[in-house]
Amino acid sequence: MGAECRVRSNKRVAKQASQINCWGMDMRKRETNAGVTVNAIAGCHVVTLGLDISEDKRAGLRGFAVRRTDPTEQETFWMKGTKTFKSVEAFPAPGEQFSSRYHPFQSFQWADYSAKPDRDYTYEVVPMYGEPDALVLGEPVAVTVHTEPVVNTDHTILFNRGAVATQEYARRFLNKWPKDAGPGAYEWLSRGLLEGVIAFIERATDSSFGLKGAFYEFQWPAVLEALNAAKSRGADVTIVFDDIESESGPWEKNEDAIGTAHIKEICVPRASGKLMHNKFIVLTEGGQPVALLSGSTNITENGIFGHANCVHIVEDATVATAYLAYFEKLRLDPKLSAPSDYKHWTIEHSPAPIALPENGICTVFSPRANIDALSWYADIAGKARNGLFMTFAFGMNPLFRTVFAKGDNVLRMALMEKEWTGRNKEAQIAAIRELQRLPNVVIAVGNHIPLTGFDQWLGELERITKSVNIHWIHTKFMLADPLSDDPIVITGSANFSGPSTDTNDENMLIIRGNTRVADVYFGEFMRLHSHYAFRQAVGIFLANNPGKTPDDFSVRFLVEDRDWTEDYFTPSDANGRYCRRRYFAG
């Protein structure tokens, strides 16, 4: 690709700018009625609603009820939540959910995580007033949106469920490990991710196709079997895998899985690097690259079904060509130390920083001879005008802590596996806690509801296999101004860290101006962030209140004795509610 980035046609630019897909359906819609505003953003599986209310309608507001109409299923019903008015329902059964018509949502940001791809939904948002046991409906505001199809002509984005620690998994599968719960548990946790990987491989139907990939952890039988089947159909299949001997690396498990699958002839060991952390496959047809499968997903049980991951498929010959050149470099098992030119080759073939063209895609490969790429990501993050959303699997690099600490009104949200990595654990945790006190910063850290916790809640698993390195968050992506007409999405295999830039084999995509891509990532970010923010709050409460139990955690009930909206209208609110209301409501 050199110094060039892929630029879409004027027709595609116009389509993205209008925020309407090729069927003419709205994926973003904002409606106001009787002082209530609803701003809807639809991804594939998530519809996010940002709410606002005029000052004259705030007094006595008990919350918002949401009623969904699905024309495809021909059904209309009130959406449900888990919190109740204690004066009305003081003893909810474990895992029980309640209609928002009687126990409304006390938040100015709500999302439907049960939406299905490529269909219309109408949401009626109703402000609720009166006494908790005799609620009065205010005037509704309705908004109709169309969810994104999963498969698209340019980008197909697949997120797994990303959380075995859920009330729904506990209800469905009784907290059994997937291997004991059966195929249904794996299918539910995959959420189409594994199926998408296999479907991509199955596109190589005969000898005119090729599959060229590179993987860090390369072990899950179904994927290895699919590659072997492609080879049997005559496709030209070669996979570079991490075979670097180390105490914590996957080399031995990779070798065992490759041997069991009888695919050694199509696998090339990468033994000379530090960490071969890539996860990608290039599809070729007639010897020419045509599509790329990339993302954060390791080919393991935990990678596909456990912690949060994504697979991102790009139907773009220019991008695929750049990755194929990178693959050809990797298959030679290049060394890192001099006289190797490897780190300079990656800079030459994927320069960073580079001027991002409107509605374009750029690639960044690692390891590199400097950390200019990481500094570029931080610069993009720092220039976000209204909103920044990032995931961090291994602590937060100081470059990004500086961005999050900026004294301005930009909403900045982060989702983390843990607050630290390496040395100085306590100092790193303290730095994150300091950021969390800022009124425009909201950070959630992975956690679960313990098995001996709430009477109201079902206990949750913290892992799906006996041994895991990552429990919750493994995705690596950044969203700069995702709800604007000119969003930037950075996604791939690289953690936003020094080693992922100057040491490890990594790859990243920088996508500008594609509102569809931004909407899908935004919805999944909010789904995971909301999920873990609550669980982190439970954990912090227990840590700060020795002798208390989860039953003492009062947030499980709706507010009855005061104005619950006050924090959302207080600019200095330390939990970011004021900034979130303004940003999500558009």
Side-chain angles (χ1 to χ4, degrees):
M1 181 174 288
E4 297 181 359
C5 292
R6 174 66 172 170
V7 182
R8 295 181 183 84
S9 68
N10 290 333
K11 182 178 180 180
R12 178 62 179 166
V13 172
K15 180 168 67 174
Q16 290 296 339
S18 68
Q19 301 173 359
I20 298 178
N21 76 349
C22 58
W23 294 282
M25 300 296 183
D26 292 319
M27 277 64 178
R28 299 179 176 186
K29 195 70 174 293
R30 189 171 186 268
E31 298 284 1
T32 298
N33 181 50
V36 176
T37 296
V38 179
N39 187 39
I41 304 97
C44 297
H45 300 278
V46 180
V47 178
T48 304
L49 303 183
L51 311 178
D52 205 356
I53 195 166
S54 59
E55 192 64 34
D56 62 311
K57 299 292 185 178
R58 275 181 60 195
L61 180 67
R62 293 293 186 179
F64 296 99
V66 179
R67 181 162 53 188
R68 186 183 85 175
T69 297
D70 179 351
T72 303
E73 302 288 340
Q74 296 185 347
E75 61 182 12
T76 298
F77 57 87
W78 295 100
M79 304 302 290
K80 294 182 178 181
T82 54
K83 292 184 180 181
T84 65
F85 287 117
K86 191 173 183 179
S87 65
V88 178
E89 181 57 74
F91 304 103
E96 188 175 2
Q97 294 185 317
F98 299 86
S99 168
S100 59
R101 165 64 179 82
Y102 301 103
H103 300 276
F105 304 115
Q106 290 185 339
S107 174
F108 284 88
Q109 182 264 313
W110 179 86
D112 179 7
Y113 305 126
S114 63
K116 296 179 180 178
D118 197 16
R119 64 171 59 180
D120 288 326
Y121 290 101
T122 296
Y123 297 90
E124 290 179 87
V125 178
V126 185
M128 306 297 289
Y129 300 90
E131 295 303 314
D133 61 348
L135 294 176
V136 177
L137 284 71
E139 291 191 55
V141 54
V143 59
T144 298
V145 292
H146 189 90
T147 53
E148 297 281 2
V150 173
V151 178
N152 196 265
T153 56
D154 54 0
H155 294 270
T156 295
I157 304 160
L158 306 162
F159 276 80
N160 64 357
R161 192 73 58 176
V164 71
T166 63
Q167 293 293 287
E168 189 63 23
Y169 186 87
R171 278 190 289 265
R172 286 174 179 250
F173 306 109
L174 305 178
N175 272 332
K176 295 179 181 179
W177 283 2
K179 68 180 182 63
D180 299 322
Y186 283 117
E187 182 179 1
W188 188 83
L189 291 168
S190 169
R191 197 167 168 251
L193 185 147
L194 174 63
E195 295 80 359
V197 173
I198 292 176
F200 184 86
I201 294 170
E202 289 177 343
R203 289 167 65 175
T205 56
D206 55 41
S207 60
S208 65
F209 291 92
L211 295 164
K212 309 294 183 178
F215 287 96
Y216 176 55
E217 293 182 309
F218 184 61
Q219 299 155 26
W220 190 245
V223 176
L224 276 59
E225 290 166 4
L227 289 165
N228 196 21
K231 177 67 175 177
S232 299
R233 294 190 294 269
D236 181 12
V237 182
T238 307
I239 302 295
V240 178
F241 70 96
D242 188 297
D243 201 34
I244 301 167
E245 296 187 17
S246 66
E247 292 184 3
S248 59
W251 62 286
E252 289 182 305
K253 291 182 178 179
N254 287 346
E255 290 180 352
D256 290 344
I258 289 167
T260 300
H262 306 292
I263 59 171
K264 190 173 182 179
E265 65 175 307
I266 66 173
C267 295
V268 175
R270 170 83 165 109
S272 298
K274 179 68 174 178
L275 198 77
M276 210 289 290
H277 201 240
N278 287 299
K279 314 99 171 42
F280 72 83
I281 304 174
V282 176
L283 175 69
T284 65
E285 183 176 6
Q288 299 301 312
V290 294
L292 166 75
L293 181 149
S294 63
S296 63
T297 306
N298 284 308
I299 307 303
T300 62
E301 182 172 6
N302 198 35
I304 297 169
F305 307 104
H307 49 232
N309 269 317
C310 74
V311 164
H312 191 131
I313 297 170
V314 184
E315 307 290 343
D316 188 296
T318 305
V319 171
T321 298
Y323 271 76
L324 183 60
Y326 182 45
F327 163 83
E328 294 295 348
K329 192 72 174 178
L330 289 169
R331 76 184 300 176
L332 299 177
D333 196 19
K335 298 183 183 299
L336 298 182
S337 56
S340 170
D341 69 343
Y342 181 37
K343 290 187 175 184
H344 295 283
W345 183 95
T346 56
I347 291 177
E348 179 184 351
H349 286 76
S350 60
I354 191 172
L356 278 177
E358 294 183 6
N359 302 283
I361 308 174
C362 294
T363 58
V364 175
F365 303 127
S366 299
R368 308 170 73 84
N370 54 50
I371 62 166
D372 288 354
L374 186 67
S375 299
W376 183 36
Y377 302 152
D379 183 62
I380 292 172
K383 290 179 179 177
R385 301 180 304 277
N386 297 300
L388 175 68
F389 304 78
M390 295 187 69
T391 64
F392 297 94
F394 298 96
M396 185 184 293
N397 183 276
L399 286 172
F400 297 98
R401 290 207 299 265
T402 299
V403 171
F404 273 75
K406 292 177 68 173
D408 54 26
N409 294 320
V410 175
L411 175 64
R412 297 185 178 90
M413 300 184 69
L415 179 60
M416 306 182 73
E417 166 72 9
K418 56 184 180 180
E419 302 99 318
W420 59 277
T421 185
R423 300 177 180 178
N424 305 315
K425 173 181 176 180
E426 298 304 323
Q428 292 183 65
I429 293 175
I432 296 300
R433 292 288 181 268
E434 191 67 26
L435 291 176
Q436 288 177 309
R437 296 186 183 96
L438 297 175
N440 62 323
V441 173
V442 186
I443 299 174
V445 182
N447 211 326
H448 74 300
I449 296 173
L451 288 170
T452 56
F454 296 107
D455 289 338
Q456 178 181 352
W457 305 98
L458 300 168
E460 297 174 344
L461 292 177
E462 63 169 339
R463 65 185 72 189
I464 65 167
T465 59
K466 183 177 181 180
S467 177
V468 299
N469 292 323
I470 298 291
H471 287 82
W472 322 111
I473 306 301
H474 191 255
T475 54
K476 303 95 170 47
F477 67 84
M478 174 203 299
L479 313 177
D481 293 321
L483 302 188
S484 72
D485 293 339
D486 188 23
I488 296 176
V489 177
I490 302 177
T491 182
S493 74
N495 296 297
F496 295 102
S497 68
S500 285
T501 308
D502 61 17
T503 304
N504 304 340
D505 298 329
E506 306 275 9
N507 69 90
M508 295 294 265
L509 294 168
I510 300 91
I511 304 164
R512 179 183 175 188
N514 192 314
T515 57
R516 176 182 182 273
V517 170
D519 289 352
V520 173
Y521 273 90
F522 173 77
E524 297 298 330
F525 179 93
M526 293 310 304
R527 174 179 68 89
L528 292 165
H529 195 283
S530 299
H531 180 85
Y532 284 118
F534 173 76
R535 285 154 179 79
Q536 183 196 16
V538 175
I540 291 175
F541 171 80
L542 296 178
N544 293 337
N545 294 275
K548 295 288 187 179
T549 70
D551 289 322
D552 299 309
F553 189 64
S554 61
V555 177
R556 59 192 171 124
F557 290 111
L558 296 170
V559 174
E560 300 186 47
D561 58 353
R562 57 183 173 81
D563 178 13
W564 67 271
T565 71
E566 183 176 359
D567 290 343
Y568 290 93
F569 290 84
T570 302
S572 61
D573 172 60
N575 291 309
R577 293 186 178 95
Y578 177 85
C579 285
R580 281 185 280 173
R581 175 183 61 84
R582 290 172 58 85
Y583 181 78
F584 293 128

